[in-house]
């Protein structure tokens, strides 16, 4: 493949693989918590960090990481204490983050609308060596959290009250999930773009859930889908000269639809197998439900 002869494409493909791993790895917990749009909100806030990076002549990736982590913490605090006015506070945070980013990047001597567009929708040619270094370090943190603490995060995502009773630090784990989501947004923004990163965090997980009911299998399938579509979108963007972020998201949606078609006969086969396993017995709704262990694993 001739695209591997170019250094910028080597960097772009490495970044794409890391994004394909980290986005679904965090997204599976957000989907379980019914916070599928959290990544979109953090993306708005991260724009202020990008603008500040240009204004202060610092790395936009690291500045966006700092600002988005702060924004994620504020979002969690609003969720805990905001109550009835929480949605208004979140709306102001999201819109203020986007407006601040636009303002700062236009005030910066080296800022321009072209810079803004590359961060909003992704750009292959602008992924620098320093960006790749930052993405690798941030991706390592995301993988360490999502895999190393998978049992605890799963327990909290499924049932906060149960997790609290078992002694898990629910608020600390919720905060860690929010921070990890913020880091993932900045990992993905150079490839997918801030406005589209939420789709890569959610759609692969939704596609994987159509094929599997277990957490481990869903996690693995979602990551496999993420890596496949990010590499496919990056290669397609190079050869067809189309926006990488939009291409990746459209491929992700196509994968969701294709797996949906495959999942229908699979679901019917499962239903027949269940009926054969309980001939004349109790219906599925009357069977003993699974229980959770203190570690968060599902068992019977």
């Amino acid at each position: 493949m001739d695209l591997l002869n170019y250094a910028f494409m080597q960097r772009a493909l490495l970044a794409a693989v890391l994004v394909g791993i980290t986005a679904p790895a965090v997204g599976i917990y957000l989907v379980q918590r019914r916070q599928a749009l959290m990544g979109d909100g953090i993306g708005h806030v991260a724009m202020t960090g990008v603008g500040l990076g240009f204004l202060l002549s610092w790395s936009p990736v690291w500045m966006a990481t700092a600002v988005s982590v702060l924004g994620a913490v504020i979002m969690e605090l609003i969720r805990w204490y905001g109550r009835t006015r929480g949605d208004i506070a979140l709306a102001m945070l999201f819109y203020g983050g986007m407006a601040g980013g636009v303002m700062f990047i236009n005030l910066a001597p080296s800022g321009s609308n072209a810079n803004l567009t590359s961060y909003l929708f992704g750009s292959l040619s602008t992924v620098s060596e320093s960006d790749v270094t930052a993405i690798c370090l941030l991706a390592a943190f995301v993988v360490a959290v999502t895999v190393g603490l998978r049992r605890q995060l799963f327990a909290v995502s499924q049932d906060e009250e149960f997790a609290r009773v078992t002694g898990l630090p629910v608020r600390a784990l919720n905060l860690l999930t929010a921070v990890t989501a913020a880091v993932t947004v900045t990992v993905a923004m150079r490839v997918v773009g801030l406005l589209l990163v939420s789709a890569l965090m959610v759609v692969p997980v939704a596609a994987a859930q159509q094929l599997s009911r277990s957490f481990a299998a869903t996690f693995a399938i979602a990551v496999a889908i993420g890596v496949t579509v990010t590499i496919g979108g990056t290669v397609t963007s190079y050869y067809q000269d189309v926006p990488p972020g939009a291409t990746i998201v459209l491929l992700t949606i196509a994968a969701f639809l294709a797996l949906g078609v495959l999942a229908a006969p699979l679901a019917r086969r499962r239903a027949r197998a269940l009926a054969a396993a309980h001939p004349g017995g109790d219906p599925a709704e009357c069977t003993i439900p699974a229980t959770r262990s203190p570690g968060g694993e599902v068992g019977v």
Side-chain angles (χ1 to χ4, degrees):
M1 298 175 68
D2 63 320
L3 78 167
L4 294 178
N5 295 327
Y6 299 98
F8 80 93
M9 281 305 301
Q10 295 172 7
R11 295 192 295 268
L13 285 170
L14 176 58
V17 170
L18 294 175
V19 169
I21 294 171
T22 55
V26 174
I28 191 169
Y29 300 108
L30 299 182
V31 170
Q32 292 291 330
R33 288 155 55 101
R34 292 176 175 81
Q35 294 179 329
L37 295 180
M38 185 176 185
D40 188 52
I42 295 175
H44 284 67
V45 176
M47 273 304 302
T48 292
V50 172
L52 279 174
F54 279 98
L55 183 63
L56 301 176
S57 298
W58 291 350
S59 168
V61 174
W62 287 113
M63 183 60 74
T65 301
V67 172
S68 59
V69 166
L70 177 61
V73 171
I74 294 174
M75 288 170 63
E76 272 300 300
L77 293 176
I78 291 174
R79 191 172 76 89
W80 295 342
Y81 305 113
R83 305 200 183 274
T84 57
R85 304 300 294 254
D87 57 338
I88 298 176
L90 287 174
M92 289 192 295
L93 179 67
F94 297 164
Y95 301 141
M98 181 65 74
V102 173
M103 179 64 70
F104 290 141
I105 205 167
N106 280 278
L107 291 175
S110 60
S112 67
N113 288 333
N115 298 130
L116 183 63
T117 301
S118 69
Y119 283 92
L120 287 175
F121 301 104
S123 175
L124 296 180
S125 60
T126 58
V127 180
S128 65
E129 291 185 4
S130 61
D131 288 337
V132 171
T133 301
I135 289 171
C136 288
L137 293 174
L138 295 172
F141 167 78
V142 172
V143 171
V145 171
T146 55
V147 176
L149 296 176
R150 62 189 182 281
R151 293 184 178 183
Q152 294 87 342
L153 294 177
F154 174 77
V156 173
S157 299
Q158 287 292 103
D159 190 335
E160 286 192 6
E161 290 301 322
F162 174 83
R164 187 175 289 108
V165 168
T166 61
L168 290 175
V170 172
R171 287 194 171 180
L173 290 170
N174 281 336
L175 196 60
L176 183 60
T177 301
V179 169
T180 308
V183 172
T184 303
V185 168
T186 56
V187 168
M189 70 179 180
R190 301 301 281 136
V191 176
V192 185
L194 292 172
L195 294 184
L196 300 174
V197 62
S198 185
L200 196 58
M201 298 170 75
V202 173
V203 180
V205 177
Q209 286 178 334
Q210 298 180 103
L211 297 180
S212 174
R213 299 302 179 189
S214 75
F215 175 80
T218 300
F219 188 100
I221 295 171
V223 169
I225 294 171
V227 172
T228 301
V229 297
T230 50
I231 293 177
T234 302
V235 173
T236 301
S237 177
Y238 171 78
Y239 284 111
Q240 301 298 324
D241 192 24
V242 291
T247 305
I248 290 170
V249 171
L250 290 175
L251 285 177
T252 308
I253 295 173
F256 174 84
L257 296 175
L259 291 178
V261 173
L262 294 175
L266 182 62
R268 288 194 293 269
R269 190 177 301 115
R270 285 174 177 166
R272 288 195 296 269
L274 184 62
H278 300 278
D282 292 334
E285 308 89 72
C286 297
T287 57
I288 299 175
T291 59
R292 297 185 182 89
S293 67
E297 293 289 350
V298 176
V300 291

